[in-house]
Amino acid sequence: MKKILAQGAEAVISLENDKVLKERVAKGYRIKVLDEKLRKGRTKSEKKLLSKALEIEGVNVPSVFNLKDSEKNFKIEEAFVEGDRLSEKLSSYSGEKQFEVLEKIGGMILKLHGEDI
């Protein structure tokens, strides 16, 4: 069963069989060839960055599946990571826990930036 987790301007993110699927959707207002080129390029770029991030010690990135086919179908499949959604829960944490969580995220961002991500 497929459950939509989020929908943005560029993609629909859903949960299916313990995998998160990010599918870049076609834009009807774009010329089809241009739309496919943009979606393919953005999917390829994201796939490349995720693969690179997976190799960085101390950075939590979900496992990515079927990378070979992602550019053809404009989808990226990732492992579902159980846990709180920061956007929903951060303000309910104690000040100390908020600081710990944000410090940890900041450390991971520092490592990503150190690798040009």
Side-chain angles (χ1 to χ4, degrees):
M1 182 178 206
K2 194 173 187 176
K3 176 186 174 189
I4 294 178
L5 300 175
Q7 184 166 354
E10 292 241 342
V12 175
I13 300 172
S14 57
L15 179 64
E16 186 174 1
N17 301 326
D18 294 328
K19 288 184 184 175
V20 174
L21 303 173
K22 179 176 184 179
E23 182 174 8
R24 294 191 190 280
V25 293
K27 300 293 182 187
Y29 57 83
R30 286 189 197 141
I31 298 168
K32 186 176 180 179
V33 173
L34 176 61
D35 181 67
E36 288 183 2
K37 185 175 180 178
L38 285 170
R39 290 189 298 144
K40 181 178 181 176
R42 290 174 181 170
T43 303
K44 183 178 180 178
S45 178
E46 184 174 351
K47 172 187 80 166
K48 187 176 179 180
L49 290 172
L50 282 169
S51 295
K52 190 174 178 181
L54 278 166
E55 297 172 3
I56 302 170
E57 189 175 327
V59 175
N60 292 331
V61 179
S63 300
V64 182
F65 310 106
N66 298 326
L67 287 176
K68 192 169 53 170
D69 298 329
S70 62
E71 295 164 40
K72 292 180 202 164
N73 57 23
F74 314 110
K75 291 181 186 176
I76 295 178
E77 292 182 38
E78 302 173 356
F80 177 70
V81 178
E82 195 70 44
D84 293 341
R85 284 189 182 189
L86 193 60
S87 61
E88 295 173 359
K89 296 287 185 172
L90 184 63
S91 61
S92 68
Y93 296 160
S94 70
E96 186 178 321
K97 184 169 180 180
Q98 286 181 18
F99 183 81
E100 286 174 22
V101 169
L102 294 174
E103 188 174 47
K104 195 173 201 177
I105 291 170
M108 286 187 247
I109 292 170
L110 181 66
K111 289 178 182 183
L112 290 167
H113 285 193
E115 297 293 328
D116 293 326
I117 296 176

